[in-house]
Amino acid sequence: MEAVEMNSVSLKRPHSEDDVASADEIKRQKILEKSKAGSDSGQSIETVTEQLKDIKSEMIPNDESEEQEEEDLGDSDEDGDPESFADMMKHGLTESDVGITKFVSSHKGFSGILKERYSDFVVHEIGKDGRVSHLDDFSVPVDDEVNFEDPSEETFTVLSDEDKQRLEELQLFKNKEASVAIEVIEDTKEKRTIIHQAVKSLFPGLETKTEDRDGKKYIIAYHAAGKKALANPRKHSWPKSRGSYCHFVLYKENKDTMDAINVLSKFLRVKPNIFSYMGTKDKRAITVQEIAVLRITAQRLAHLNKCLMNFKLGNFSYKNHPLKLGELQGNHFTVVLRNITGTDDQIEQAMHSLREIGFINYYGMQRFGTTAVPTYQIGRAILQNNWTEVMDLILKPRPGAEKGYLVKCREEWAKTKDPAAALKKLPVKRCVEGQLLRGLLNYQSYVWNNMVSKRIEEYGLRAVPGDLILKGATAVHIEEGDVDNYTIHDVVMPLPGFDVIYPKHKIGEAYKEMLVADNLDINNMRHKIRDYSLSGAYRKIIIRPQNVNWEVVAYDDPKIPLFTTDLDKLEGKPLPLLPVDGKFRALKMEFSLPPSTYATMAIREVLKMDTSIKNQTQLNTTWLR
């Protein structure tokens, strides 16, 4: 699965600084007292966690909803000119910083631009049955049983914005009203039926009835089962013959999966946790994946196609089960590398090598963030119980892709170690727990990358005695007499967290040396705080992609698409005519990968070049500005 950039942070602006000023001052004083209670490396996790949580929660007013729309505050410094992303990335990480140093192919490398346009990177999910997800059908399934959850098109427009606001507040018990009355302007049975349908389908949990008041007819909306209705609001009107989950294919552009789910839940007025999926997908890409949602009809979902930008929903079906993370078989990638410099012979060698040998299964650059203080250092400090360093790494100044207010916040922390003073520079919410846990995962990834580079350097592309292979869920060593039975594609290496034992292998000592240098014991990676214990896993060292195809195309205009997407095909858009001899050449490649592998690492093997954003900005900075 192509991993999502994990270095971004959700930003929320308080409703009003004046409204919470006095409460803020009290909280700041409490934080100040806590922060001065102890600052040596023996500080406990409880103390640090409380400080960090106070830092996070101090900026959130009590009435702020978890579903409040996130606000992009921009990348510019309030007191200066905006700094381009390319300029900030001069300080970013490179591949060698995170242990990515080796190649397995022998061809000469060449340059090309990855993701010059987000539509140059397309991901189609492969389900556990091996079927590739495509958006190719907008039709809605028809039930034998019709009910109020199957709204007509007029349902979505019959209620005014004011009516919808009042009904939503009633549904969520946000006001003291026991009911909401909606006057029927055109008093016909058909009109009343449409209003009944609209309320019940758009606001699950509410019931309706018709009343006469002063010679006028009103539709009265009310809660039939009180707050219990919110636990399973659609149960009362969902046909028993229909599966409880509506499965659909989500086509999205330039949006990550969780952002997409949040948008859908906002428009449907439901909580995001009723959606399920098998894997997260890139933001800067076009992606196609299966989603399941509990008791929302295909009709309501299909209506969103008329409301949303950069999303399309289709291929609807009803099933009795949700989706689970990790159930997918992998992803199929279609990638365009623009402005390539390689000769036809170099490209043929590179692609044949990718198909026959594969690439080193490194954790890609997306795993480690973009700033000059990589998150794996936070993970290392946690494992060392060095909580002061944890706080410093999260809060200290760092060159790189930082917003102006974050720079000021970090500078204040470095100068005063006063969280209250630092918070005055920070008008947003920070997810501290996420940073800590990502740091742990990224430390594992950092160690594994370095160790797999060492393994390739020491033994090359062959299985050797002492290597590990998986038999079922168990790892066993290759014995001297069995080496010829295995290839490099069978070999796995452990992530830190297992007791790594290589009795006849140099890599075992290399693991120990690396962890000892970090003051860690390879035989005891369990942390006294259970959430921060590293669970081990095995990872193949070489991945050989499946379904590898490629072609070189010429083009003149860098803005035109070089292949048709699912949506293009549904809308009947033809591919633009490409010149035979264009000013530029592009390599269009397709391949399938298993979960938890990085397409960027396959592309790196083809190009033989650094895939970090820092390096890519030197090739092309237009889309990053």
Side-chain angles (χ1 to χ4, degrees):
M1 177 178 62
E2 181 66 14
V4 178
E5 266 191 31
M6 301 298 288
N7 62 307
S8 61
V9 182
S10 296
L11 308 180
K12 294 184 181 180
R13 190 191 297 277
H15 294 290
S16 167
E17 292 182 6
D18 294 336
D19 292 344
V20 296
S22 58
D24 282 353
E25 192 56 41
I26 295 171
K27 291 179 182 178
R28 287 193 180 100
Q29 291 302 319
K30 288 181 179 179
I31 297 170
L32 180 64
E33 292 168 7
K34 289 181 181 181
S35 68
K36 291 181 177 178
S39 60
D40 61 287
S41 61
Q43 207 172 10
S44 72
I45 175 59
E46 290 82 7
T47 302
V48 174
T49 300
E50 285 305 310
Q51 288 187 31
L52 292 174
K53 283 185 176 179
D54 281 341
I55 288 172
K56 179 182 75 172
S57 64
E58 192 262 349
M59 297 310 301
I60 306 302
N62 291 332
D63 62 340
E64 184 170 25
S65 167
E66 281 299 313
E67 278 118 14
Q68 179 182 346
E69 185 175 3
E70 294 178 6
E71 186 172 359
D72 184 2
L73 302 181
D75 290 328
S76 61
D77 192 318
E78 293 173 4
D79 298 330
D81 295 330
E83 185 179 21
S84 76
F85 191 88
D87 290 334
M88 289 189 285
M89 284 315 302
K90 291 175 183 176
H91 308 286
L93 293 172
T94 63
E95 288 184 347
S96 60
D97 292 327
V98 295
I100 302 173
T101 59
K102 302 295 180 183
F103 295 97
V104 298
S105 51
S106 58
H107 70 275
K108 184 178 178 182
F110 53 94
S111 69
I113 302 173
L114 173 61
K115 294 189 181 182
E116 183 172 26
R117 308 174 78 242
Y118 70 77
S119 55
D120 287 345
F121 198 94
V122 179
V123 186
H124 287 88
E125 190 171 69
I126 305 173
K128 60 183 179 180
D129 58 358
R131 181 181 56 83
V132 179
S133 292
H134 281 281
L135 181 74
D136 53 22
D137 184 5
F138 284 142
S139 66
V140 172
V142 178
D143 280 335
D144 294 333
E145 193 172 349
V146 179
N147 67 91
F148 283 129
E149 276 284 305
D150 298 328
S152 65
E153 189 60 35
E154 192 176 355
T155 296
F156 299 99
T157 57
V158 71
L159 298 174
S160 69
D161 290 341
E162 182 183 354
D163 288 337
K164 290 178 182 177
Q165 180 68 30
R166 292 169 60 213
L167 289 164
E168 183 172 6
E169 290 174 354
L170 176 67
Q171 180 194 33
L172 299 176
F173 296 94
K174 286 187 175 181
N175 57 20
K176 295 181 180 179
E177 291 184 78
S179 63
V180 167
I182 301 169
E183 183 181 356
V184 182
I185 305 299
E186 301 173 26
D187 184 16
T188 64
K189 184 176 180 180
E190 291 77 13
K191 193 68 174 182
R192 293 197 301 271
T193 299
I194 291 171
I195 296 175
H196 282 294
Q197 287 182 328
V199 173
K200 289 186 174 184
S201 61
L202 296 178
F203 301 94
L206 297 183
E207 290 290 351
T208 57
K209 60 184 177 181
T210 304
E211 284 187 2
D212 286 311
R213 294 183 180 180
D214 300 326
K216 297 179 181 179
K217 277 197 165 51
Y218 290 85
I219 304 297
I220 309 299
Y222 62 96
H223 275 289
K227 292 191 176 183
K228 291 181 180 179
L230 287 182
N232 199 353
R234 287 164 293 281
K235 186 175 181 179
H236 65 284
S237 59
W238 195 264
K240 293 181 180 179
S241 60
R242 176 195 285 169
S244 293
Y245 294 87
C246 185
H247 287 231
F248 62 94
V249 169
L250 172 65
Y251 170 103
K252 62 182 181 64
E253 299 181 355
N254 208 25
K255 208 86 168 170
D256 69 36
T257 301
M258 275 313 303
D259 282 343
I261 295 297
N262 287 333
V263 170
L264 295 178
S265 62
K266 177 185 174 183
F267 273 80
L268 292 168
R269 294 183 173 87
V270 296
K271 293 191 174 183
N273 62 5
I274 71 170
F275 291 87
S276 58
Y277 47 89
M278 295 183 286
T280 56
K281 299 290 180 282
D282 274 11
K283 175 181 179 180
R284 190 170 174 78
I286 292 175
T287 68
V288 183
Q289 67 183 118
E290 188 174 352
I291 306 287
V293 60
L294 176 64
R295 291 196 170 111
I296 296 290
T297 64
Q299 285 89 346
R300 288 184 68 190
L301 294 168
H303 178 73
L304 297 180
N305 287 330
K306 300 181 180 181
C307 309
L308 301 176
M309 296 287 291
N310 300 328
F311 296 103
K312 289 294 177 183
L313 289 66
N315 296 79
F316 302 102
S317 63
Y318 293 108
K319 299 181 182 180
N320 289 316
H321 59 84
L323 296 170
K324 294 181 181 178
L325 277 172
E327 280 187 328
L328 72 168
Q329 196 176 105
N331 294 288
H332 185 75
F333 297 87
T334 305
V335 179
V336 169
L337 301 176
R338 293 185 182 249
N339 201 18
I340 56 171
T341 62
T343 65
D344 289 344
D345 187 54
Q346 286 174 321
I347 293 167
E348 286 294 308
Q349 288 183 43
M351 295 307 298
H352 277 287
S353 176
L354 182 67
R355 185 165 60 189
E356 302 302 322
I357 300 174
F359 61 97
I360 303 173
N361 193 20
Y362 286 120
Y363 288 94
M365 295 302 296
Q366 304 97 307
R367 186 81 169 197
F368 301 98
T370 57
T371 65
V373 180
T375 49
Y376 70 80
Q377 292 183 5
I378 298 171
R380 178 169 57 201
I382 292 171
L383 292 170
Q384 294 169 340
N385 280 304
N386 191 342
W387 298 107
T388 298
E389 185 178 356
V390 170
M391 293 182 72
D392 277 349
L393 286 169
I394 291 175
L395 296 172
K396 78 179 185 180
R398 61 188 72 179
E402 289 276 85
K403 299 180 188 297
Y405 53 82
L406 290 178
V407 172
K408 292 176 181 178
C409 171
R410 296 184 192 284
E411 287 174 348
E412 186 66 34
W413 172 260
K415 182 171 66 177
T416 65
K417 290 294 189 290
D418 179 356
L423 278 169
K424 291 178 181 178
K425 311 290 185 182
L426 182 65
V428 294
K429 180 180 178 180
R430 301 286 305 223
C431 182
V432 173
E433 292 85 351
Q435 290 198 54
L436 294 176
L437 295 172
R438 283 197 294 273
L440 287 167
L441 292 173
N442 295 349
Y443 179 72
Q444 279 188 310
S445 307
Y446 171 75
V447 172
W448 197 90
N449 277 0
N450 279 274
M451 289 301 98
V452 77
S453 292
K454 183 74 172 175
R455 164 61 181 76
I456 297 295
E457 181 181 324
E458 290 286 345
Y459 298 109
L461 297 178
R462 59 191 178 92
V464 298
D467 271 335
L468 294 171
I469 58 168
L470 284 178
K471 291 192 174 179
T474 305
V476 298
H477 299 287
I478 298 178
E479 301 295 336
E480 187 79 43
D482 292 333
V483 170
D484 292 340
N485 296 328
Y486 302 101
T487 71
I488 191 66
H489 299 101
D490 299 312
V491 178
V492 299
M493 284 178 54
L495 278 77
F498 282 148
D499 294 343
V500 184
I501 301 172
Y502 279 110
K504 301 176 182 178
H505 210 299
K506 293 180 182 179
I507 302 305
E509 288 304 313
Y511 264 105
K512 291 178 183 177
E513 289 171 8
M514 186 171 186
L515 295 181
V516 165
D518 289 339
N519 296 315
L520 298 172
D521 180 3
I522 196 170
N523 295 314
N524 184 17
M525 300 301 289
R526 294 178 179 84
H527 198 279
K528 65 179 182 179
I529 308 298
R530 184 165 55 181
D531 285 349
Y532 297 146
S533 290
L534 290 184
S535 58
Y538 293 104
R539 183 174 177 86
K540 283 196 170 186
I541 70 173
I542 300 291
I543 292 293
R544 185 161 45 190
Q546 302 298 307
N547 308 311
V548 179
N549 292 289
W550 68 93
E551 93 177 282
V552 176
V553 296
Y555 64 102
D556 288 319
D557 184 353
K559 295 181 180 179
I560 64 170
L562 298 180
F563 58 86
T564 52
T565 65
D566 286 359
L567 187 58
D568 292 335
K569 293 172 185 175
L570 271 171
E571 294 179 347
K573 291 182 181 177
L575 187 67
L577 291 176
L578 299 176
V580 177
D581 297 314
K583 291 187 293 186
F584 309 108
R585 294 162 67 242
L587 172 59
K588 185 173 76 171
M589 53 197 296
E590 291 189 57
F591 52 88
S592 300
L593 294 177
S596 300
T597 55
Y598 290 71
T600 50
M601 293 296 97
I603 294 163
R604 169 187 181 269
E605 189 67 45
V606 170
L607 294 176
K608 290 283 191 74
M609 65 183 296
D610 190 324
T611 60
S612 65
I613 298 178
K614 179 177 181 177
N615 184 61
Q616 285 289 304
T617 56
Q618 296 170 3
L619 296 175
N620 173 41
T621 61
T622 302
W623 65 264
L624 293 169
R625 291 185 182 277

